[in-house]
Amino acid sequence: ARRVAIIGAGASGLCALKCCLDEGLEPTCFERSKDIGGLWRFEEQPEDGRASIYRSVIINTSKEMMCFSDFPIPEDFPNYMHNSKIMEYFRMYAQHFDLLRHIRFRTSVCRVSKRPDFASSGQWEVVTESEGKQEAAVFDAVLVCSGHHTNAHLPLSSFPVCPTHLRQAPSPCCWPSTCWALQLLTKAGGLSTGGGLASECQGKKPGEFSAVESLFGWGRGWSTLSPGMLGATLRIFHAGDATTSNFLLEWKLNARFDHTLYGLKPKHGILDQHPTVNDDLPNRIISGRVRVKPNIQEFTETSAIFEDGTREDVDAVVFATGYSFSFPFLEGCVKVVENQIPLYKFMFPPDLEKPTLAFIGLIQPWGAIMPISELQSRWAIYVFKGLQGLPPPADMLAEITQTKQRMAQRYVKSQRHTIQVDYIPYMDELACQLGVKPNLLSLFLTDPKLAMEVAFGPCTPYQYRLRGPGAWAGARAAILSQRQRVV
């Protein structure tokens, strides 16, 4: 593969672009909006077809866990960054690696289709539109980096009201002082976001937070939660002892604040659902600015009726119920059914004659998506170049089925859990494919100091630059200095 089409210039598209350049490919990135950043670029006026965070969003993963693996976030940046700082980091990354000249802004992808000789060439025809004019070009491979925050998921059949979905909501600080928001959180997702909005509701009346049985509140950002303890605990879980890990993590988090007393304790274990990460929420609850209620049973024209029979007058309703994803430009190549798409390692369609199409960032991780998208891109490009093959289609389909079954057994049923991954095992899976997984035994024999930090410290992205293709000379120093950067 030489020419690669990249769809989307968000967090996943940027690192995909950089990885292509690292491997000597010729990438062209198509971005329908006017700028980079994707989901993380806040605009006063929401753009059609682009999901967006709200003005005051602060990322709930620490900077050391969310950075690209060979470009650490500056040490003077806060550990948990406001969205404006994340955009600043993205711009620094794009400028440092000279990415912008490869991006075609205000260009939509209309269709991606196989060439007539695809079975032998693996090539794609990509039709784009810019300023009302369509253009077709041939590419040797395609990376779909448009993400999964695509179409607002509104459960209107359950709640027949006229809602404001999150991406259309004004910034909480701009809401009228007489208005208070009822955060509707369904099992479909959106828990962290809804919790954040509930915490930030301003006005004369308190914000109200509708808790459901699938909610779990965290009292601290998971990625720097006693890094040694967290790293060891997650590795215990990933070795197969889910009961022990649930107990240890819940014990540690309840030491911060008792989730049962705050009305935030669910019926399931902490690792059985994507968690709510919000430091503000317990403070707002204990001060009475947020009230915890059971799930909503129904709406009337002016109020909400809860499952415990209580009724509250409501001025506004915000649905923080997540998104569903689709890829209309790929019609005929992949099919999405109920937020499920059969992909090998959440990346490759198993039934293509040539593995020249990959999805980057189509996952819901326990952790930051940026380093995962980067490692996905590194592996996909090695496959595109023919340096590594994929298993036979039957084997890929069998693994896809097994993964789906494991997820159904573990997680609360939800459309967001169709693409859920655990950060450490998934990164290790990808790293094994690429040959960049840290060799702990070798490290303990040759560099005990580094081995201790890799094994018992946080699983920062730099670990996957220590060896193998794409090794970075600065990885060791970045790992050994990461705690000081946090300080």
Side-chain angles (χ1 to χ4, degrees), residues 256-325:
R256 173 85 168 190
F257 71 90
D258 189 323
H259 288 64
T260 300
L261 290 179
Y262 282 76
L264 298 178
K265 181 71 171 72
K267 297 177 181 179
H268 56 74
I270 185 174
L271 295 169
D272 300 343
Q273 215 268 7
H274 197 87
T276 297
V277 184
N278 190 290
D279 269 341
D280 254 356
L281 189 54
N283 298 326
R284 301 289 175 135
I285 291 172
I286 202 170
S287 63
R289 298 187 69 183
V290 169
R291 285 185 292 152
V292 180
K293 300 287 288 187
N295 201 13
I296 296 167
Q297 181 173 304
E298 62 178 302
F299 285 110
T300 68
E301 289 185 1
T302 59
S303 65
I305 301 174
F306 299 91
E307 288 182 346
D308 62 359
T310 58
R311 178 193 296 256
E312 299 281 356
D313 290 337
V314 176
D315 297 310
V317 177
V318 177
F319 278 65
T321 44
Y323 293 84
S324 57
F325 54 82

Side-chain angles (χ1 to χ4, degrees), residues 147-162:
H148 54 89
H149 296 90
T150 310
N151 307 309
H153 174 67
L154 299 173
L156 299 183
S157 59
S158 301
F159 305 103
V161 294
C162 182

Side-chain angles (χ1 to χ4, degrees), residues 165-181:
H165 191 261
L166 171 65
R167 62 183 291 271
Q168 300 167 319
S171 172
C173 62
C174 297
W175 288 352
S177 60
T178 57
C179 174
W180 59 285

Side-chain angles (χ1 to χ4, degrees), residues 48 126 159 204 250 303 305 316 387 438:
D48 288 338
V126 178
F159 305 103
K204 297 177 181 178
E250 290 175 24
S303 65
I305 301 174
L387 300 175

Side-chain angles (χ1 to χ4, degrees), residues 20 28 94 117 207 211 234-235 265 292-293 295 305 378 413:
C20 283
T28 301
D117 62 347
L234 289 180
R235 284 185 169 89
K265 181 71 171 72
V292 180
K293 300 287 288 187
N295 201 13
I305 301 174
R378 291 169 65 189
K413 187 175 182 180

